[in-house]
Amino acid sequence: MPATPAWPPKSLPRLFVRSALAAGATVELDAGQANYLGNVMRLQHDDHVLLFDGASGEWLARITEAGKKRMTLQVEDPTREQEAVPDCWLAFAPVKRAQTDWLAEKATELGIARLLPVTTARTIVQRVKLERLQAIAIEAAEQCNRTSVPNIEEPQSLASFLKASDGRTLYFADERGGEPVASAFQPGPATILTGPEGGFTDEERAAIRSQPHAVPVSLGPRILRAETAALAALTAYMALAGDWR
Ligand code: SAM
């Protein structure tokens, strides 16, 4: 997998759209996107933008109709192929809203494939606004040149998360100690699991550690805040086993 960053960024606005893209296809933008291109970016008829749908790469599209609340574009040529992000999922205990938003944005920038909110005994925040997190992830993907958008799953309990656990390596960030990530992280399908502000209970720790594919990992000698731990683990994964190598 190439480690070349997509730089310099293209100057054309980039938007994620839900309709499938192909040469010649017509795309209707929603009111928010039409407002952004027309009123914020001041784009007009015949101007170009870049579009991606999360599945078929990135495309150049031309504005064919620019109304006050509506905009139509015609898809022209492909500009980039669909990327393959590393097969890395982040299972995290949700924290306060601002910190969870930050985590969704930064994890998207770092190339996460899937985000799984997991509630634990000490999770304080019980409600996760999925639509909001999805919107944040889409905006981050638009901004950082991703052609994919991470899947964000419905929150689930730690017990059901562990029950559904398959053959993926489960890197469990354990503040009580584990293998240093430098030796633990290996390429291959992986899930990183991080806990809430209060950490995991002893019972939860034992249940996670008893999973056949669990690898307890340490993120160093300091206790990191929950969202810092999740981002630090993901950053280390990308550097050691993901697409920064
Ligand atoms: N209340 C816990 C304590 O004082 O021991 C700390 C929990 S920490 C704020 C939240 C989560 O971040 C932990 O459950 C763990 O998953 C992760 N974490 C924080 N620091 C870590 C470290 N040095 N190594 C591994 N995981 C860490």
Side-chain angles (χ1 to χ4, degrees), residues 44-68:
Q44 300 168 352
H45 189 266
D46 274 348
D47 283 340
H48 282 92
V49 299
L50 296 169
L51 301 179
F52 65 106
D53 60 5
S56 51
E58 183 189 75
W59 294 79
L60 189 68
R62 185 175 58 83
I63 298 172
T64 50
E65 253 186 82
K68 278 204 171 148

Side-chain angles (χ1 to χ4, degrees):
M1 204 176 290
T4 315
W7 195 261
K10 299 200 175 68
S11 55
L12 292 181
R14 280 186 94 237
L15 288 181
F16 171 77
V17 291
R18 295 198 183 275
S19 48
L21 298 174
T26 300
V27 177
E28 299 274 347
L29 296 188
D30 64 36
Q33 290 177 321
N35 177 57
Y36 169 70
L37 291 187
N39 299 324
V40 180
M41 301 305 290
R42 303 264 172 214
L43 297 194
Q44 300 168 352
H45 189 266
D46 274 348
D47 283 340
H48 282 92
V49 299
L50 296 169
L51 301 179
F52 65 106
D53 60 5
S56 51
E58 183 189 75
W59 294 79
L60 189 68
R62 185 175 58 83
I63 298 172
T64 50
E65 253 186 82
K68 278 204 171 148
K69 291 191 178 158
R70 284 190 51 199
M71 195 171 271
T72 309
L73 298 100
Q74 172 139 38
V75 181
E76 294 185 340
D77 301 309
T79 48
R80 278 169 60 208
E81 284 188 7
Q82 182 66 21
E83 71 188 316
V85 291
D87 190 0
C88 180
W89 302 354
L90 178 62
F92 65 100
V95 284
K96 285 185 196 139
R97 194 169 85 173
Q99 283 85 347
T100 302
D101 288 356
W102 180 84
L103 182 56
E105 180 183 275
K106 299 305 166 203
T108 304
E109 289 176 41
L110 289 170
I112 199 68
R114 197 171 180 211
L115 285 165
L116 301 100
V118 171
T119 52
T120 66
R122 295 188 182 139
T123 302
I124 298 164
V125 175
Q126 296 297 333
R127 274 195 71 214
V128 177
K129 292 197 170 165
L130 282 193
E131 269 185 28
R132 184 183 162 81
L133 289 188
Q134 195 71 60
I136 288 170
I138 286 172
E139 208 176 308
E142 288 172 343
Q143 179 268 326
C144 77
N145 254 359
R146 271 183 79 148
T147 52
S148 61
V149 173
N151 291 324
I152 304 183
E153 304 300 328
E154 291 279 350
Q156 58 185 317
S157 67
L158 180 66
S160 56
F161 166 76
L162 292 179
K163 214 183 274 172
S165 183
D166 51 13
R168 311 173 65 80
T169 306
L170 179 61
Y171 294 113
F172 157 48
D174 190 348
E175 68 273 21
R176 297 222 190 133
E179 192 179 338
V181 291
S183 54
F185 283 165
Q186 301 294 330
T191 303
I192 295 167
L193 172 64
T194 57
E197 289 95 333
F200 291 103
T201 64
D202 287 344
E203 295 73 32
E204 288 174 334
R205 183 171 278 104
I208 301 164
R209 282 178 171 254
S210 72
Q211 294 290 307
H213 303 289
V215 179
V217 294
S218 166
L219 299 170
R222 288 165 290 278
I223 301 293
L224 308 177
R225 287 176 66 135
E227 69 277 16
T228 314
L231 249 288
L234 178 54
T235 306
Y237 179 87
M238 287 301 170
L240 296 162
D243 58 9
W244 294 13
R245 289 175 306 138

